[in-house]
Amino acid sequence: MIAAAAPPLQQLLYNKNNDKFSTSIDVSVDLFYIIYDCANPSLAFLIVQGLNHSGETCINRHPVSQNVYCFVRLLRGNMGDHPSIIEAMVKGQKERKQKFPRIITCPNEMVALSMADGYARYTSKPQCVIVHVDVGTQGLGAAVHNASCGRAPVLIFAGLSPYTCEGEYRGSRTEYIHWIQDVPDQKQIVSQYCRYSGELKAGRNIKQMVGRALQFATSAPAGPAYLIGPREVMEEDIEPYELEQAHWGAVGPAALPEVAVQEIAEALVGAKEPLLITGYCGRNHNAVAALVKLADKVKGLRVLDTGGSDMCFPADHPASLGLRYGVHERIPTADLIIVADCDVPWVPTLCKPSPGTRIFHLDSDPLKQQMPVFYIPAEARYRCDTCTAFKQLHTYITSTPSLSQTLSNNLAYNDRWSTLQKEHAQRLHSIKELAQPNTKDNTFNTSYLISRLRHHVPADTIFAVEAVTLTTFVADQLQPTIPGTWINCGGGGLGWSGGASLGIKLAAPKRFVCQIVGDGTFLFSVPGSVYWISQRYNLPVLTIVLNNQGWNAPRRSLLLVHPDGEGSKASNEDLNISFAPSPDYAGIAKSAAGGRLWAGVACTMEELEQRLDDAVKSVQDGTGAVLDAHLDGGRSVFVG
């Protein structure tokens, strides 16, 4: 039995006489995203105030920032059954004004997790969301899928309905809803998307449980971790204790074994048409430079980005083949393919390597453990950090006389480099041709729109892209060259980019952030929540809505399976994928922002030029902007 003098857990979370929070656990983040949905206040504050721990981080060993944010959502409009959390908030804000987390209200769970996701992807630092029992967990929706597929290090905590009914423990059931929200196995709602899921069964090891969850979330392959705990545990009395933060770091990066370095390096130098296919190695910004260095060394190596989630190779490099989804003419002609951090290097029914092609797979998750069906015909596969692997290969080639001399003294390699330069120049010329003005009817297509957008925004703009079927056109025109400036969803849960762009802006407040989103996807992003948060907390971003008046992805999927079927001749209206007449997307956003947002529509090239200029200036002046760009002659006819 715990002594009566032992303070309750929530009281331990705040102690004005202590220079440190006695129950803190350092989680190596700059910002911390929390939705508090009337569940388990003590753990919420335990995690948040861990950010103020005065030790070193468990991930990067850098001092933790004091810039902490809490996203708060009030379920049913009250927090009447949570006096401890309200008391802690008021007390902490009054007595520790400079060190207490800033409370940020977020009206939607998916937006909150998408914000945490965007911040985590840009910084590679873990973020947290706290939601309300089973219903709050379900409210996260497709954002959990996106964080899992996109390898975003996030910690999700949800309360459980109290497990006692008659006051057996402090925290026992006190409301009607506690029976309704008691489900058989809450973890199963999201556990298949998580790297780890666990339940807090006692207050005395909460730090260890949080630390373990974060280790899974931050260790490659990174992704969501999910913790749950009932209110009785959150109310438990415990004695103060501390952990050694250095013992709770992520698993370090793995290198290629020496024999693999030798085999792959020799194969790479000996190949006549080598190809490297990647998708998310650029999450580590240092990997971009390492891959460039390798491509410079092995002249003739081509690099194809399959659009996973990050800019992996600069578009202005002669070796760049740009971004394509699993289909490219160089895949069947390559005699050596290195697949590096890539989920879908090719789609076999559309395009695949030729028989006899040597294939090596380097990946943080080469088995794709969360995909029931996945395989590629690789002769060897290695679980490794690709940035480390690129450096190993370059070092081995440079330090091995037979290989380095082959590259430097062979005229064939110089000819291959010249060929790459010519092909790259021709490719960029073809891309430029797609963006030519339409002099016939003064309308514009996606290529022209994005080329003009690229002209108007700063060179180091960070793009959060969710353009679905138009993604390759967007990538071709943006041609990103700076690591971290192209961030794609990486998953299939539409609606990611609204919250993600806000999270990126929080992570990089001095940078210009631009969201590029399809019209159908814009509606999935919960704009009512996104733009309310944007204006309330001064997070100005530029949103470009690619308005083609409907969902084009279902039509494309239909034609891939039934190219000559009845549906191939049907209109978008007949297929029920049309949004004509178009909603007023910019108006929806402006309304959500309480009128404090620039909103515009462009249907012609002249309108586009003027609206882009105005929108960019608005964001630079501190007011968010949404431009509804009607593609290929769409008219601004709204439902309303």
Side-chain angles (χ1 to χ4, degrees):
M1 183 116 180
I2 298 175
L9 180 59
Q10 68 267 23
Q11 292 179 16
L12 292 174
L13 296 173
Y14 176 76
N15 184 348
K16 69 177 180 179
N17 298 319
N18 208 341
D19 195 40
K20 297 185 293 186
F21 290 98
S22 59
T23 55
S24 64
I25 178 168
D26 190 335
V27 295
S28 179
V29 297
D30 285 332
L31 303 179
F32 213 63
Y33 299 83
I34 291 178
I35 298 177
Y36 176 73
D37 270 357
C38 304
N40 309 311
S42 298
L43 182 61
F45 269 66
L46 172 66
I47 297 174
V48 172
Q49 293 170 355
L51 296 173
N52 294 311
H53 187 61
S54 60
E56 293 185 331
T57 71
C58 61
I59 309 297
N60 296 320
R61 309 297 197 272
H62 297 308
V64 177
S65 166
Q66 296 296 329
N67 192 15
V68 181
Y69 292 81
C70 301
F71 286 83
V72 180
R73 180 169 182 262
L74 305 184
L75 193 68
R76 300 189 307 278
N78 72 82
M79 296 176 69
D81 57 338
H82 304 284
S84 60
I85 189 70
I86 298 174
E87 182 70 13
M89 285 181 181
V90 175
K91 185 176 180 65
Q93 290 171 332
K94 177 187 292 186
E95 299 180 0
R96 295 183 68 93
K97 294 180 180 179
Q98 302 303 317
K99 295 185 178 181
F100 198 81
R102 180 185 177 194
I103 306 301
I104 294 183
T105 302
C106 179
N108 180 269
E109 293 95 339
M110 180 173 175
V111 175
L113 183 52
S114 296
M115 291 180 72
D117 179 312
Y119 187 97
R121 292 194 198 203
Y122 181 71
T123 63
S124 293
K125 295 181 179 180
Q127 303 300 298
C128 179
V129 177
I130 295 181
V131 297
H132 173 51
V133 295
D134 64 322
V135 290
T137 300
Q138 292 168 327
L140 296 169
V144 180
H145 162 94
N146 293 334
S148 180
C149 295
R151 296 167 181 81
V154 292
L155 172 62
I156 303 167
F157 175 80
L160 286 172
S161 281
Y163 57 79
T164 57
C165 303
E166 300 185 41
E168 297 93 328
Y169 295 98
R170 187 169 59 225
S172 187
R173 295 183 183 182
T174 57
E175 293 187 47
Y176 164 88
I177 203 67
H178 290 157
W179 278 263
I180 304 302
Q181 293 175 340
D182 186 11
V183 296
D185 192 348
Q186 186 172 304
K187 294 196 301 293
Q188 288 302 312
I189 299 172
V190 295
S191 61
Q192 65 180 322
Y193 299 100
C194 296
R195 307 299 184 260
Y196 170 85
S197 60
E199 179 179 348
L200 302 175
K201 298 182 178 181
R204 295 187 182 187
N205 71 338
I206 279 182
K207 291 182 182 181
Q208 291 89 334
M209 292 293 289
V210 172
R212 177 168 171 77
L214 284 167
Q215 284 182 311
F216 274 96
T218 56
S219 297
Y226 183 71
L227 282 176
I228 57 175
R231 192 164 64 170
E232 288 90 339
V233 172
M234 302 302 106
E235 293 288 344
E236 182 180 334
D237 292 333
I238 64 170
E239 295 290 342
Y241 72 101
E242 293 188 10
L243 298 180
E244 177 58 58
Q245 300 300 314
H247 297 167
W248 295 92
V251 175
L256 284 172
E258 291 183 7
V259 64
V261 174
Q262 178 181 351
E263 182 180 20
I264 297 172
E266 291 176 350
L268 189 57
V269 173
K272 294 182 179 179
E273 196 170 334
L275 173 65
L276 189 145
I277 305 177
T278 187
Y280 55 89
C281 71
R283 175 69 55 82
N284 179 349
H285 297 176
N286 294 325
V288 178
L291 183 52
V292 168
K293 198 172 180 179
L294 182 62
D296 287 341
K297 188 67 178 179
V298 184
K299 292 180 170 60
L301 173 63
R302 295 181 172 91
V303 179
L304 174 64
D305 190 343
T306 59
S309 56
D310 302 89
M311 194 285 281
C312 300
F313 196 72
D316 60 355
H317 194 284
S320 173
L321 296 177
L323 184 152
R324 290 296 182 270
Y325 284 122
V327 178
H328 196 278
E329 60 185 8
R330 290 298 177 182
I331 294 176
T333 65
D335 59 345
L336 169 74
I337 297 178
I338 297 175
V339 178
D341 278 344
C342 181
D343 289 331
V344 188
W346 52 79
V347 179
T349 55
L350 303 176
C351 171
K352 59 184 178 181
S354 299
T357 301
R358 300 192 68 183
I359 301 173
F360 296 92
H361 189 188
L362 317 179
D363 207 302
S364 62
D365 181 22
L367 294 178
K368 307 301 176 187
Q369 295 176 143
Q370 291 185 289
M371 297 182 186
V373 179
F374 174 89
Y375 52 88
I376 59 175
E379 63 182 81
R381 51 190 53 81
Y382 299 96
R383 187 185 301 275
C384 65
D385 173 67
T386 51
C387 180
T388 301
F390 296 154
K391 293 177 180 179
Q392 287 179 283
L393 292 171
H394 182 272
T395 299
Y396 185 86
I397 293 171
T398 303
S399 61
T400 304
S402 60
L403 298 181
S404 59
Q405 290 173 10
T406 297
L407 292 175
S408 60
N409 298 330
N410 195 326
L411 293 177
Y413 289 96
N414 293 329
D415 292 339
R416 281 162 49 169
W417 185 249
S418 298
T419 299
L420 285 191
Q421 291 176 315
K422 291 178 182 178
E423 291 178 351
H424 185 258
Q426 291 171 354
R427 177 175 169 272
L428 294 186
H429 177 74
S430 299
I431 290 172
K432 187 176 181 180
E433 287 298 308
L434 293 175
Q436 293 302 307
N438 183 352
T439 57
K440 292 183 179 180
D441 58 10
N442 203 27
T443 61
F444 55 86
N445 60 17
T446 303
S447 296
Y448 181 84
L449 163 63
I450 301 301
S451 70
R452 297 313 301 159
L453 172 66
R454 175 74 272 185
H455 171 78
H456 281 275
V457 299
D460 64 347
T461 293
I462 303 171
F463 294 96
V465 181
E466 197 173 18
V468 196
T469 56
L470 298 175
T471 300
T472 56
F473 295 97
V474 173
D476 282 349
Q477 298 299 329
L478 289 182
Q479 299 174 23
T481 60
I482 304 173
T485 56
W486 166 284
I487 303 178
N488 197 7
C489 178
L494 299 182
W496 164 87
S497 59
S501 60
L502 298 185
I504 295 167
K505 184 64 177 179
L506 277 169
K510 295 183 180 180
R511 297 281 290 278
F512 193 98
V513 177
C514 178
Q515 173 197 10
I516 301 177
V517 60
D519 51 352
T521 304
F522 177 86
L523 295 176
F524 281 122
S525 70
V526 197
S529 178
V530 168
Y531 295 99
W532 181 85
I533 296 170
S534 175
Q535 65 83 21
R536 175 163 178 176
Y537 299 106
N538 191 29
L539 300 172
V541 301
L542 170 61
T543 297
I544 303 295
V545 179
L546 306 176
N547 189 340
N548 54 14
Q549 298 194 358
W551 287 314
N552 277 353
R555 175 178 288 278
R556 181 177 182 275
S557 298
L558 170 69
L559 295 177
L560 286 172
V561 180
H562 302 288
D564 301 313
E566 291 297 322
S568 67
K569 307 175 185 66
S571 67
N572 283 357
E573 286 77 9
D574 292 336
L575 294 176
N576 300 301
I577 59 175
S578 171
F579 285 172
S582 174
D584 183 0
Y585 299 109
I588 292 171
K590 187 170 184 176
S591 176
R596 293 179 289 278
L597 180 133
W598 184 97
V601 178
C603 297
T604 67
M605 290 188 294
E606 286 81 4
E607 291 175 345
L608 177 64
E609 199 69 18
Q610 184 58 53
R611 303 291 191 275
L612 278 174
D613 188 58
D614 293 343
V616 171
K617 288 180 180 177
S618 176
V619 174
Q620 291 174 330
D621 290 339
T623 300
V626 176
L627 176 58
D628 183 359
H630 287 241
L631 303 174
D632 301 314
R635 293 291 178 262
S636 54
V637 179
F638 303 125
V639 175

